[in-house]
Amino acid sequence: GQVLAIDGKMLRRSHDGFLGKKAIHMVSVWAAENRLVLGQVKVDDKSNEITAIPKLLRLLDLCGCIVTIDAMGCQREIAELIIDKQGDYVLALKENQGRLYKRASLLCTNCSAKAYRRGECDYAKTVEKNHGRIEIRQCWAIDARKWLFYLDIKGKWKGLRTVVMIESERRLGDRIEKERRYYISSLPCDAAQLL
């Protein structure tokens, strides 16, 4: 159940315009519970994180781990690699996965009390007060296996079990910020765990 968060970052001041040297981009894997970077891979010049993430994943033992990646890493090949290495994934969905994003957002938006009672949808909520602000997070998790004919018609997303919608609300004084995000996961439909 160890959460391994994968993310790419550009190293500040690593470029030199005078010499024509571009900034260095790195992809790192962070072991959340241990608060430790387990590995890093430099992104090749004229490439992006999508090619660096599989290199990093191949170096790791993912057995029993939950790998989280932002929308850049939401790729079928990456999901397949994680499953093949006996891990689970939680991948952020954005418009880069056009059809899947649209269908997942529609499915989550239409998740009703009826679907919740049938056991197709799970819900969890957290409220935290820190540093003078209140953060409310709500999670709806939908058992995607019943909706694969709609979400993943050709069965290209290996291990896909759950579609997730998270609504975050941040209150600081009179200011309220709201955000809605979508994810796909190979984990069971457990909103509390996914949140």
Side-chain angles (χ1 to χ4, degrees):
Q2 173 75 278
V3 175
L4 303 179
I6 295 181
D7 196 16
K9 297 288 181 206
M10 180 180 71
L11 301 181
R12 291 177 53 137
R13 296 187 179 92
S14 62
H15 70 284
D16 188 334
F18 181 74
L19 296 175
K21 182 180 172 187
K22 293 183 179 181
I24 296 171
H25 286 79
M26 300 290 288
V27 175
S28 303
V29 61
W30 173 259
E33 187 175 324
N34 296 352
R35 304 182 59 80
L36 176 73
V37 173
L38 295 179
Q40 293 182 316
V41 172
K42 182 179 181 278
V43 176
D44 295 330
D45 291 339
K46 299 182 182 179
S47 188
N48 59 31
E49 292 176 26
I50 296 171
T51 59
I53 291 171
K55 291 178 186 176
L56 186 56
L57 289 172
R58 286 186 190 100
L59 298 173
L60 301 169
D61 177 5
L62 302 179
C63 186
C65 293
I66 301 167
V67 179
T68 66
I69 310 175
D70 63 14
M72 175 69 87
C74 187
Q75 304 292 323
R76 290 186 300 264
E77 298 80 15
I78 291 172
E80 183 175 352
L81 178 59
I82 293 167
I83 294 298
D84 289 347
K85 294 194 72 155
Q86 299 177 351
D88 283 297
Y89 60 81
V90 178
L91 305 175
L93 265 180
K94 287 197 176 170
E95 287 82 5
N96 66 328
Q97 291 294 338
R99 190 174 294 140
L100 180 60
Y101 174 82
K102 283 182 184 177
R103 290 178 178 186
S105 63
L106 281 172
L107 183 62
C108 288
T109 303
N110 295 324
C111 180
S112 64
K114 194 177 192 182
Y116 179 77
R117 283 193 304 275
R118 286 193 309 250
E120 296 171 6
C121 181
D122 193 29
Y123 172 79
K125 179 179 179 179
T126 61
V127 179
E128 294 177 3
K129 185 174 181 180
N130 290 317
H131 308 290
R133 69 176 173 250
I134 297 172
E135 293 191 32
I136 302 166
R137 290 186 191 87
Q138 299 180 82
C139 176
W140 290 266
I142 300 171
D143 188 342
R145 294 173 298 174
K146 296 177 183 178
W147 295 95
L148 288 178
F149 69 92
Y150 174 68
L151 293 166
D152 187 21
I153 298 165
K154 296 181 180 175
K156 292 183 177 181
W157 288 94
K158 190 168 186 178
L160 177 59
R161 289 180 70 182
T162 309
V163 175
V164 182
M165 178 176 73
I166 295 182
E167 286 186 349
S168 300
E169 182 178 313
R170 180 178 289 162
R171 299 177 184 176
L172 183 58
D174 293 339
R175 212 172 79 206
I176 297 175
E177 298 173 6
K178 291 185 178 185
E179 182 181 26
R180 182 178 282 180
R181 297 180 309 275
Y182 301 97
Y183 301 85
I184 58 171
S185 178
S186 61
L187 290 168
C189 185
D190 181 347
Q193 180 187 24
L194 289 158
L195 184 58

